[in-house]
């Protein structure tokens, strides 16, 4: 069973009486958030703890399997390893957060819901395809709502305003640097 | 010369158009080759697009490490588009394990001081997501400067970045502490929220900070009060609840500040009551706030009435139609059932109803909670419910349910006969799921109740005649028949409480168990069930011969047959025949027994009667016995200890006196001030330093793998409130030896841990001598205990390593 707690410093193994020093992170709201489809395809991954790519893949794989195996009428919380997992399905996407033991699961549900609302407002009736084709935007929106695993802004209006301003700034700089623009939509890269 | 590169969205379309995994891989590999070429050539105009594409395929699971340096270039570019994608790439590809990550530091420093808010936002976001300890050291002062900048947009991000910095480098806390006082006056919700989070983080890490921030409790109380009463704004509210995120965060901070501090707790009592009664509970947002309130109430020194209110809220949650709410209620009640037993008892009927939940995680919690609520006054009713549940529960819960019922029966059985019937019922319903010691317990119980011998043997005989597949039942029945076979043939049995038993066993046994019901009824309608000697012998022989019988079971049957040779009146030819056949049995144990028994018949026939006579009662300090002893000791101790205010234990006792109804209450709480000698706590094995056993904290089974089990037992020596002694016991019920066993432990930084040398490093198979090891943990701050264990050992010739955190540590281990 691989360790997925970050920052492990092993003291030299001088015998069985030596204790293993681990750096426990103090409680944070969220360790990571994953979005994935009903087929198990990952659509967004935000990690608030440092883990190797291999560990992230392993965790993702196991967790996706576990959540997809849940029946529709089951509650939104499950215990997995030493974390609490809060998940909710919106249309074809699962939103899945890992929180620490002391955290409040119910407010995490509100966090998930708020994020979905933000996406919905930005994309206008958001669907999975929007998040697939504009994944970077999904990240930008998330980064205006949560920071370092904590809620940074509780006003929907402010979050959307910030994104709008960033989008405007992006457009402005693009127009400055390109005399000839690429075809069409401002979403094109 | 390169063809114009694909746009991101076109690439995504192409990938999605691939019909097979192989096709997808082909598309991606081709594109990655282009991207690599583009990176090599250095194309600043399209770099951001190339990286975006790379990030997309990275999410699909493909390697993207060659994009790391490109992230750095993009971040350093003056264009906002570049920075946006570059910083995103840094967060996804450049975590602290990559050597290149430190190169981001300079760019972040520049961007932080640039003054363009979206850019500063990107830099702060990246630092707080992937910032390593070194980066945090380098950039802490920059972040601190931004804390008091005019723009709330930047400030709220700077504050949360400070939180991250403190988590990585706790020594930097001092830089951020001074600004907190000023930041608390903020009106901007985002900034305020960040500030509360920052203060929470500071207080959790440093007792000095905790003391310092206690003085803001009145301010926090005021803020929350304002929020709850007049703070409604459409901008921040969810379903009529004012900014639930902020409310929850304030409540969490209040919890930390009020914990173990009388004055602060008192300052927040009224407010908590207000929030608890006024919050709208029609939607999840309100319930989230309510839940946090309950958690806070239970964790600080609240008035008794407030605690009861909190538990009643949880009780109401149990009736909520929303499954999630029921779940958190069950979890919380489970944590509180020891400390607030009476209050939780009031909700027992609701808890029992939750056993019927379809969701396994809820029914499991309901089961644990139900078992914790069994006491001497409700044991009959509860056992009925639990037995009904046992019959229909999912198989992964059966073992826990069965052993829970047996344990409860052992602790609270009103009569021995009821106890016997209960065990019998469990064995017949879920025999394969009971723990190994159930057999020993039942035989012990029967042997000790002389008046029940006849009754027991008749019931067991009937049960065995019905079904010889449930091994524990068969073992006990065989033993019993062997011991008391003479009583079986006598034809009379006491029938002192048929009605109660009939009622207890008949109520829930519906159509699926018609047979059992019939035989039960039949049994009680004509208690003089006539049993023939030949039938008895035939039954035992069936057990011996059945392929369903385990070797241990056959051993029981063989020995029983042998004993019957002195108990039955007929001649012993049949028995002698069977015994001699088994003299050549392949099972060595059986063979040996059979040969010995044969010898008994032949050469030592004169000794046979003496050897096979009824067994004397084996002395064993059972929990039932000790509960009574502890209760009678506890009563005078409570009244002695209470009037001594200088004792550090006294305040705890006074609290207990408030909560307990009297000395006859659950005996786990009152701490005896004398060590009660020896047998009281049978779970403790020999410790190298034998401490006086204080208030028993429930043991915890923390690990099980292929028969290897790890149990923890806890002691809090009364003279040293900060000390916790944990005895780790490793047992092995599997067929292979456990060797080279090493157990290591880790605890959070505020604790001190000392491991004493273990008793050994080998646990032989089949229940050989366990390993014990003592941990000493000092917890001067009374912070919640967290314990992580690392086990390495060899088992079945394979090396095993397990690392896990111990869950469900009882609060008594650290409070």
């Amino acid at each position: 069973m691989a360790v997925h707690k970050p920052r492990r410093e092993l003291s030299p193994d001088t015998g069985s009486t030596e204790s293993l020093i681990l750096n426990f992170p103090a409680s944070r709201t969220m360790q990571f958030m994953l979005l994935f489809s009903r087929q198990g395809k990952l659509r967004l991954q935000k990690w608030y703890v440092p883990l190797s790519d291999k560990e992230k893949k392993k965790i993702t794989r196991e967790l996706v399997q576990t959540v997809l195996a849940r029946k529709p009428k089951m509650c939104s919380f499950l215990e997995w390893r030493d974390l609490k997992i809060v998940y909710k399905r919106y249309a074809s996407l699962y939103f899945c957060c890992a929180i620490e033991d002391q955290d409040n699961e119910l407010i995490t549900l509100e966090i998930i819901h708020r994020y979905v609302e933000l996406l919905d407002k930005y994309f206008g009736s958001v669907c999975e395809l929007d998040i697939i084709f504009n994944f970077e935007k999904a990240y930008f929106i998330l980064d205006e709502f949560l920071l370092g695993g904590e809620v940074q802004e509780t006003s929907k209006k402010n979050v959307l305003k910030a994104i709008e301003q960033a989008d405007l700034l992006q457009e402005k700089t693009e127009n400055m640097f390109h005399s000839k623009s690429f075809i069409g939509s401002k979403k094109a890269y | 010369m390169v063809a114009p590169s694909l746009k991101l969205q076109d690439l995504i379309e192409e990938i999605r158009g691939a019909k097979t995994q192989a096709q997808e891989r082909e598309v991606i590999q081709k594109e990655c080759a282009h991207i690599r070429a583009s990176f090599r050539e250095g194309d600043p105009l399209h770099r951001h697009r190339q990286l975006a594409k790379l990030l997309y395929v990275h999410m699909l699971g493909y390697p993207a490490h060659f994009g790391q340096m490109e992230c750095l270039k993009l971040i350093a570019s003056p264009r906002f588009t570049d920075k946006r994608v570059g910083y995103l790439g840094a967060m996804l590809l450049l975590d602290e394990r990559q050597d290149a990550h430190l190169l981001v530091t300079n760019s972040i420093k520049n961007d932080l001081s640039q003054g363009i808010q979206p850019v500063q936002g990107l830099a702060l976001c990246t630092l707080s997501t992937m910032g390593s300890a070194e980066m945090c050291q380098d950039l802490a002062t920059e972040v601190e400067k931004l804390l008091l900048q005019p723009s709330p947009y930047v400030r709220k991000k700077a504050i949360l970045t400070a939180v991250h910095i403190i988590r990585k480098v706790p020594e930097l806390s001092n830089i951020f502490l001074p600004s907190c006082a000023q930041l608390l006056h903020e009106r901007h919700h985002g900034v305020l929220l960040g500030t509360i989070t920052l203060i929470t983080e500071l207080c959790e890490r440093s007792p000095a900070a905790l003391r310092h921030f206690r003085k803001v409790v009145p301010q926090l109380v005021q803020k929350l009060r304002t929020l709850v009463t007049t703070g409604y704004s459409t901008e921040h509210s969810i379903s009529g609840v004012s900014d639930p995120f902020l409310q929850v965060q304030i409540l969490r901070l209040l919890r930390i500040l009020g914990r173990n501090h009388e004055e602060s707790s008192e300052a927040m009592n009224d407010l908590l009551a207000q929030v608890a009664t006024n919050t709208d509970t029609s939607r999840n947002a309100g319930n989230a706030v309510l839940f946090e309130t309950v958690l806070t109430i239970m964790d600080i020194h609240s008035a008794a009435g407030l605690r009861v209110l909190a538990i009643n809220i949880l009780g109401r949650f149990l009736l909520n139609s929303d499954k999630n709410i029921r779940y958190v209620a069950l979890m919380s009640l489970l944590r509180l059932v020891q400390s607030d037993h009476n209050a939780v008892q009031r909700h027992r009927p609701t808890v029992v109803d939750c056993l019927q939940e379809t969701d396994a995680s809820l029914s499991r919690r309901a089961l644990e909670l139900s078992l914790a609520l069994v006491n001497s006054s409700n044991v009959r009713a509860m056992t009925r419910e639990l037995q009904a549940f046992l019959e229909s529960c999912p198989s992964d819960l059966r073992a826990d349910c069965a052993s829970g019922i047996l344990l409860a029966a052992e602790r609270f059985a009103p009569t021995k006969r009821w106890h016997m019937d209960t065990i019998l019922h469990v064995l017949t319903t879920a025999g394969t799921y009971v723990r190994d010691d159930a057999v020993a317990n039942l035989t012990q119980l029967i042997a000790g109740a002389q008046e029940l011998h006849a009754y027991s043997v008749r019931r067991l005989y009937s049960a065995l005649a019905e079904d010889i597949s449930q091994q524990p039942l068969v073992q006990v029945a065989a033993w019993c028949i062997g011991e008391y076979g003479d009583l079986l043939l006598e034809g009379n049995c006491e029938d002192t409480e048929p009605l109660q038993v009939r009622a207890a066993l008949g109520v829930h046994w519906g159509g699926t168990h018609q047979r059992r019901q019939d035989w039960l009824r039949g049994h009680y309608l004509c208690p003089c069930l006539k049993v023939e000697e030949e039938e008895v012998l035939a039954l035992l022989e069936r057990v011996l011969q059945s392929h369903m019988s385990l070797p241990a079971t056959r051993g029981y049957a063989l020995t029983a047959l042998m004993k019957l040779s002195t108990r039955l009146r007929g001649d012993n030819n049949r028995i002698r025949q069977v015994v001699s056949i088994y003299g050549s049995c392949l099972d060595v144990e059986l063979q040996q027994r059979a040969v010995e028994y044969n010898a008994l018949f032949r050469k030592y026939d004169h000794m046979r009667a003496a050897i096979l006579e009824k067994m004397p009662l084996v002395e064993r300090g059972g929990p039932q016995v000790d509960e009574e002893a502890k209760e009678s000791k506890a009563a005078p101790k409570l009244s002695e200890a209470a009037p001594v205010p200088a004792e550090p234990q006294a305040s705890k006792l006074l609290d207990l006196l408030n909560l307990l109804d009297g000395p006859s209450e659950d005996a786990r709480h009152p701490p005896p001030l004398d060590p009660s000698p020896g047998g009281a706590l049978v779970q403790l094995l020999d410790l190298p330093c034998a401490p006086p056993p204080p208030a028993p904290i429930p043991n915890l089974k923390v690990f099980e793998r292929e028969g290897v089990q790890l149990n923890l037992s806890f002691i809090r020596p009364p003279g040293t409130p900060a000390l916790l002694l944990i005895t780790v016991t490793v047992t092995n019920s599997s067929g292979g030896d456990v060797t080279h066993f090493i157990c290591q432990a880790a605890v959070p930084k505020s604790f001190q841990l000392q491991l004493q040398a273990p008793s050994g490093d080998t646990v032989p198979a089949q229940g050989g001598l366990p390993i014990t090891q003592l941990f000493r943990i000092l917890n001067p701050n009374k912070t919640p205990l967290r314990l992580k264990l690392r086990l390495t050992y060899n088992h079945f010739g394979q090396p095993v390593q397990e690392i896990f955190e111990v869950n469900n540590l009882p609060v008594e281990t650290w409070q």
Side-chain angles (χ1 to χ4, degrees):
Chain A
M1 175 164 97
V3 174
H4 68 277
K5 278 269 182 264
R7 288 175 278 131
R8 200 168 96 211
E9 296 144 24
L10 282 175
S11 56
D13 195 2
T14 57
S16 60
T17 53
E18 201 75 17
S19 53
L20 192 71
I21 314 289
L22 288 175
N23 250 340
F24 273 78
S27 69
R28 53 158 53 74
T29 301
M30 203 176 297
Q31 290 220 346
F32 57 84
M33 183 190 287
L34 303 173
L35 265 69
F36 51 89
S37 69
R38 272 187 302 180
Q39 287 74 39
K41 283 223 121 106
L42 198 59
R43 298 300 178 205
L44 187 142
Q45 46 173 339
K46 189 75 187 181
W47 298 84
Y48 294 109
V49 289
L51 292 166
S52 70
D53 242 9
K54 197 167 126 187
E55 283 170 319
K56 285 183 194 165
K57 282 202 175 133
K58 181 162 192 275
I59 292 175
T60 306
R61 201 174 43 235
E62 284 182 26
L63 197 52
V64 166
Q65 250 180 12
T66 309
V67 171
L68 289 178
R70 301 273 287 180
K71 302 197 201 60
K73 285 300 168 71
M74 296 179 96
C75 72
S76 294
F77 314 127
L78 61 104
E79 267 152 35
W80 184 79
R81 300 196 184 183
D82 52 355
L83 292 170
K84 291 203 273 205
I85 304 294
V86 179
Y87 73 93
K88 195 148 178 188
R89 197 181 118 201
Y90 288 84
S92 60
L93 267 184
Y94 283 88
F95 287 70
C96 186
C97 295
I99 60 176
E100 302 238 345
D101 203 35
Q102 299 96 323
D103 292 327
N104 180 336
E105 295 99 324
L106 298 179
I107 204 71
T108 310
L109 277 176
E110 290 301 323
I111 291 178
I112 293 178
H113 191 73
R114 173 54 65 90
Y115 182 44
V116 173
E117 281 180 324
L118 291 166
L119 290 168
D120 196 54
K121 210 61 206 282
Y122 182 82
F123 287 109
S125 271
V126 68
C127 63
E128 190 185 344
L129 278 180
D130 289 321
I131 299 185
I132 294 172
F133 281 92
N134 301 282
F135 72 96
E136 74 285 6
K137 291 289 166 62
Y139 276 106
F140 297 151
I141 295 172
L142 184 61
D143 286 341
E144 291 296 335
F145 175 43
L146 302 177
L147 201 83
E150 306 284 349
V151 177
Q152 67 176 284
E153 179 59 70
T154 57
S155 154
K156 250 190 292 188
K157 196 176 78 182
N158 288 350
V159 174
L160 293 166
K161 201 163 64 181
I163 294 285
E164 203 181 295
Q165 285 184 348
D167 282 349
L168 274 173
L169 183 57
Q170 178 167 329
E171 240 189 270
K172 200 168 71 177
T173 59
E174 270 176 21
N175 290 336
M176 271 170 60
F177 280 86
H178 299 283
S179 44
K180 53 179 182 198
S181 53
F182 293 105
I183 314 130
S185 91
K186 69 177 171 198
K187 286 189 188 171
Y189 267 127
Chain B
M1 69 88 337
V2 181
S5 54
L6 270 184
K7 293 210 210 74
L8 169 64
Q9 305 206 324
D10 293 337
L11 174 64
I12 298 178
E13 287 235 30
E14 205 180 317
I15 293 175
R16 286 172 63 78
K19 303 245 179 15
T20 64
Q21 187 73 10
Q23 222 180 345
E24 178 186 287
R25 222 176 304 137
E26 213 185 293
V27 169
I28 291 178
Q29 275 170 359
K30 201 169 82 179
E31 186 58 32
C32 282
H34 283 293
I35 295 177
R36 278 186 134 111
S38 165
F39 284 162
R40 261 199 308 274
E41 287 178 23
D43 176 4
L45 273 186
H46 300 122
R47 191 177 281 139
H48 66 95
R49 177 204 278 178
Q50 307 293 49
L51 185 65
K53 287 188 282 185
L54 191 58
L55 293 179
Y56 181 78
V57 306
H58 175 251
M59 186 149 58
L60 294 179
Y62 293 85
H65 48 274
F66 54 90
Q68 286 174 11
M69 293 315 268
E70 306 304 311
C71 296
L72 296 168
K73 293 182 193 158
L74 283 167
I75 292 172
S77 152
R79 280 206 316 168
F80 186 67
T81 315
D82 288 346
K83 282 191 194 288
R84 238 183 167 186
V85 181
Y87 274 121
L88 180 61
M91 286 191 273
L92 290 174
L93 303 179
L94 274 179
D95 65 62
E96 65 183 43
R97 288 152 187 257
Q98 313 298 329
D99 293 329
H101 86 276
L102 286 169
L103 299 169
V104 191
T105 315
N106 227 26
S107 296
I108 294 184
K109 191 179 255 170
N110 290 337
D111 284 339
L112 283 181
S113 50
Q114 248 190 27
I116 303 176
Q117 288 186 17
V119 172
Q120 288 173 311
L122 289 176
L124 287 168
C125 179
T126 305
L127 179 56
S128 67
T129 307
M130 48 75 70
S132 63
E134 297 97 317
M135 286 173 70
C136 291
Q137 293 260 3
D138 287 341
L139 295 163
T141 31
E142 296 299 322
V143 174
E144 196 265 329
K145 277 192 240 162
L146 296 173
L147 282 185
L148 299 168
Q149 247 213 6
S151 146
Y153 175 78
V154 174
R155 248 188 306 159
K156 73 188 183 197
K157 290 180 192 272
I159 294 171
L160 286 178
T161 308
V163 173
H164 175 83
I165 291 176
I166 292 173
R167 284 176 180 159
K168 285 291 193 183
V169 190
E171 295 76 39
L172 292 171
S173 308
N174 301 323
I175 302 184
F176 301 109
L177 202 146
S179 318
C180 290
Q182 195 175 342
L183 287 169
L184 261 187
H185 294 289
E186 268 299 318
R187 293 178 154 275
H188 187 278
H189 283 227
V191 176
L192 190 54
L193 182 57
T195 307
I196 308 269
T197 311
L198 178 59
I199 297 177
T200 308
E201 192 68 32
L202 288 166
C203 291
E204 276 181 331
R205 288 183 174 270
S206 145
L210 182 61
R211 278 193 298 276
H212 171 81
F213 281 112
R214 285 224 174 94
K215 34 183 209 288
V216 307
V217 167
Q219 202 178 347
L220 291 169
V221 167
Q222 187 51 41
K223 282 204 183 296
L224 186 52
R225 184 170 282 134
T226 314
L227 199 54
V228 167
T229 49
T230 61
Y232 182 83
S233 75
T234 39
E235 195 180 332
H236 297 287
S237 301
I238 302 181
S239 318
V241 180
S242 309
D243 205 335
F245 301 113
L246 184 56
Q247 286 198 44
V248 163
Q249 203 67 19
I250 297 178
L251 285 163
R252 194 176 295 171
L253 179 55
L254 286 174
R255 177 153 83 243
I256 291 169
L257 294 173
R259 197 183 274 156
N260 290 327
H261 196 253
E262 199 61 58
E263 197 188 314
S264 301
S265 302
E266 247 172 88
M268 45 180 101
N269 258 309
D270 284 344
L271 170 69
L272 292 172
Q274 190 181 356
V275 178
T277 35
N278 289 341
T279 306
D280 182 346
T281 57
S282 52
R283 307 292 291 276
N284 184 62
N287 285 320
V289 172
L290 205 52
F291 181 49
E292 194 73 33
T293 313
V294 166
L295 291 179
T296 300
I297 291 174
M298 298 316 292
D299 215 6
I300 64 172
H301 277 208
S302 4
L306 196 54
R307 287 181 86 91
V308 172
L309 173 63
I311 294 196
N312 288 347
I313 291 177
L314 292 176
R316 268 211 319 272
F317 273 4
L318 276 183
L319 297 164
N320 197 303
S321 52
D322 185 344
K323 217 180 286 271
N324 295 327
I325 305 221
R326 296 203 296 274
Y327 178 89
V328 302
L330 282 171
M331 293 291 285
S332 307
L333 286 170
L334 204 49
R335 278 201 287 263
L336 298 168
V337 71
Q338 300 302 342
S339 54
D340 295 79
H341 192 84
N342 285 341
V344 181
Q345 272 286 356
R346 280 192 213 109
H347 302 279
R348 187 169 56 81
T350 325
V351 173
V352 168
D353 283 338
C354 289
L355 285 172
Q356 307 306 324
E357 293 276 359
T358 43
D359 184 339
S361 51
L362 273 102
S363 52
R364 174 179 288 282
R365 301 287 175 280
L367 175 63
E368 276 181 62
L369 192 52
S370 302
L371 288 171
L373 286 174
V374 179
N375 63 23
S376 41
S377 42
N378 62 29
V379 65
R380 282 184 196 257
M382 284 299 277
T383 310
R384 265 206 300 280
E385 299 280 359
L386 290 166
Q387 280 170 337
F389 178 61
L390 184 63
E391 293 184 11
S392 55
C393 72
S395 48
D396 53 344
L397 289 180
R398 288 197 147 198
D400 292 325
C401 189
S403 50
I405 296 176
L406 292 178
L407 206 64
E410 204 168 312
R411 289 181 70 194
F412 301 114
T415 64
K416 290 209 170 145
R417 182 146 150 179
W418 178 93
H419 192 178
M420 217 227 92
D421 287 333
T422 306
I423 301 185
L424 189 61
H425 181 264
V426 171
L427 289 181
T428 44
T429 323
T432 40
Y433 295 92
V434 297
R435 275 187 3 225
D436 302 332
D437 61 355
V439 174
N441 287 344
L442 184 53
T443 52
Q444 173 82 6
L445 176 70
I446 295 174
Q450 193 169 4
E451 67 282 12
L452 284 183
H453 287 171
Y455 172 75
S456 315
V457 72
R458 300 184 74 76
R459 291 233 29 217
L460 284 165
Y461 177 80
S462 309
L464 186 63
E466 272 287 307
D467 180 5
I468 62 168
S469 65
Q470 308 248 43
Q471 297 302 294
L473 178 66
V474 175
Q475 288 176 5
V476 178
W479 178 85
C480 219
I481 294 171
E483 277 292 295
Y484 310 118
D486 47 333
L487 298 174
L488 185 58
L489 304 167
E490 267 163 32
N492 279 325
C493 86
E494 301 109 50
D495 210 355
T496 50
E497 27 173 312
L499 285 168
Q500 278 167 316
V501 186
R502 204 181 296 142
L505 294 170
V507 165
H508 294 285
W509 286 18
T512 50
H513 298 281
Q514 201 57 44
R515 276 168 64 207
R516 235 175 246 132
Q517 210 166 11
D518 287 344
W519 82 248
L520 260 186
R521 275 209 210 95
H523 182 82
Y524 283 106
L525 286 175
C526 57
C528 311
L529 188 65
K530 210 67 179 94
V531 178
E532 301 295 333
E533 275 186 27
E534 292 300 311
E535 285 174 7
V536 179
L537 296 177
L539 184 57
L540 285 174
E541 280 169 32
R542 251 179 72 207
V543 171
L544 258 179
Q545 288 154 13
S546 164
H547 64 278
M548 293 186 284
S549 298
L550 298 171
T553 312
R554 288 159 128 188
Y556 274 94
L558 187 65
T559 306
L561 270 174
M562 197 58 200
K563 287 186 199 167
L564 285 178
S565 71
T566 58
R567 315 272 200 271
L568 302 183
R569 276 168 253 126
D571 68 27
N572 293 326
N573 281 333
R574 191 164 172 176
I575 299 178
R576 290 176 81 132
Q577 263 187 328
V578 173
V579 165
S580 66
I581 291 175
Y582 277 84
S584 44
C585 171
L586 283 176
D587 183 305
V588 176
E589 180 75 23
L590 271 181
Q591 194 194 93
Q592 177 169 349
R593 291 296 160 91
V595 167
E596 287 168 357
Y597 293 156
N598 234 346
L600 262 188
F601 272 125
R602 299 223 178 111
K603 285 202 288 186
Y604 300 96
D605 205 40
H606 54 283
M607 289 166 63
R608 186 164 49 91
I611 290 178
L612 295 172
E613 74 180 10
K614 290 230 170 73
M615 287 170 67
L617 182 61
V618 177
E619 274 307 319
R620 198 184 123 244
Q624 177 89 11
V625 174
D626 304 315
E627 285 300 338
E628 289 159 20
K630 274 187 286 188
E631 280 174 24
S632 57
K633 274 198 185 139
K637 293 293 178 289
L638 272 179
S639 49
E640 270 170 39
V644 181
E647 270 288 337
Q649 296 291 336
S651 60
K652 272 205 172 138
L653 284 172
L654 286 172
D655 282 350
L656 287 171
L657 283 173
N658 281 337
L659 295 175
L660 293 175
D661 283 341
S664 59
E665 246 319 309
D666 186 357
R668 280 204 210 154
H669 285 288
L673 296 177
D674 283 348
S676 47
L681 298 163
V682 290
Q683 301 94 331
L684 290 176
L685 297 175
D686 286 340
L687 302 172
C689 58
I697 302 172
N699 286 1
L700 203 59
K701 176 173 119 174
V702 301
F703 171 78
E704 167 117 49
R705 178 179 162 158
E706 292 170 317
V708 182
Q709 202 175 325
L710 206 86
N711 279 311
L712 302 184
S713 57
F714 306 93
I715 299 179
R716 295 282 299 276
T720 43
L723 180 64
L724 170 69
L725 301 169
I726 300 182
T727 302
V728 177
T729 307
V730 187
T731 51
N732 179 6
S733 60
S734 73
D737 290 353
V738 164
T739 57
H740 301 95
F741 185 90
I742 294 177
C743 174
Q744 294 166 304
V747 289
K749 272 185 166 168
S750 58
F751 290 79
Q752 287 172 44
L753 171 67
Q754 193 189 59
L755 300 173
Q756 297 201 353
S759 62
D761 70 344
T762 304
V763 189
Q766 308 286 8
L769 186 69
I771 296 174
T772 56
Q773 187 171 14
L774 183 65
F775 294 176
R776 298 173 67 92
I777 296 183
L778 266 176
N779 179 11
N781 299 328
K782 298 220 178 234
T783 32
L785 174 64
R786 295 179 68 167
L787 181 67
K788 197 148 188 158
L789 294 177
R790 176 168 177 254
L791 311 177
T792 53
Y793 57 91
N794 291 344
H795 195 205
F796 296 121
Q798 298 291 328
V800 174
Q801 179 185 279
E802 295 277 357
I803 303 179
F804 56 90
E805 185 169 351
V806 177
N807 291 320
N808 301 321
L809 282 166
V811 290
E812 294 92 32
T813 55
W814 53 270
Q815 258 180 356

